[in-house]
Amino acid sequence: QVQLVESGGGLVQAGGSLRLSCAASGRTFSRYAMGWFRQAPGKEREFVATITWSGGSTAYADSVKGRFTISRDNAKNTVYLQMNSLKPEDTAVYYCAVRTVVGGPWGYWGQGTQVTVSS
C-alpha cells in the first residue's frame, strides 16, 4: 500500500551538509506520520526524527538537535531530512519510515541511503 524510496546520501566532509529525501507512494501519504532512523555498523537502528502528518509537530534525538531538520511536502509526497554540521558519528544508513496508527509500529520502511562523514 505504501512504498518509500530514499535518496540524497553520499560522502561528505565533517562540518558539511546533506539533504535526504524520501518519496512516498499512495494517495493517503499526507495522513501518515513520517520518521527518519539510522543504523551504524555494529549498532542497532536508532530514532533520528519524526514529523506528524500535518507537519505541526516534530521530534529529534538529542544527538541531532540543532543540526538536523525534518520537514515534509505533502503536495510532492516527500519528507526531507536536512543535515548540517555533520560529524563522523553521523555515519550510518538512514531509513525513512511511515506510521499509520498513533503509538503503533513503523509499518513501512524504505531501502535506506548511506551517509558517510569523513574526518
Side-chain angles (χ1 to χ4, degrees), residues 6 9-10 20 36-41 43-46 48 81 83 89-96 109-116:
E6 300 101 329
L20 306 183
W36 286 98
F37 299 78
R38 66 186 183 186
Q39 186 168 21
K43 298 183 179 180
E44 296 186 352
R45 189 173 299 179
E46 65 175 349
V48 175
L81 184 68
M83 305 185 295
E89 51 262 44
D90 294 319
T91 296
V93 176
Y94 284 71
Y95 298 90
C96 177
W109 296 83
Q111 83 288 349
T113 185
Q114 177 70 48
V115 172
T116 302

Side-chain angles (χ1 to χ4, degrees), residues 8-68:
L11 176 64
V12 65
Q13 296 181 7
S17 299
L18 285 173
R19 187 179 73 165
L20 306 183
S21 298
C22 175
S25 64
R27 294 176 60 85
T28 60
F29 169 80
S30 63
R31 299 175 62 87
Y32 298 158
M34 305 289 294
W36 286 98
F37 299 78
R38 66 186 183 186
Q39 186 168 21
K43 298 183 179 180
E44 296 186 352
R45 189 173 299 179
E46 65 175 349
F47 157 79
V48 175
T50 57
I51 187 168
T52 60
W53 66 268
S54 67
S57 181
T58 59
Y60 299 90
D62 288 340
S63 60
V64 305
K65 286 182 178 178
R67 300 189 298 120
F68 291 10

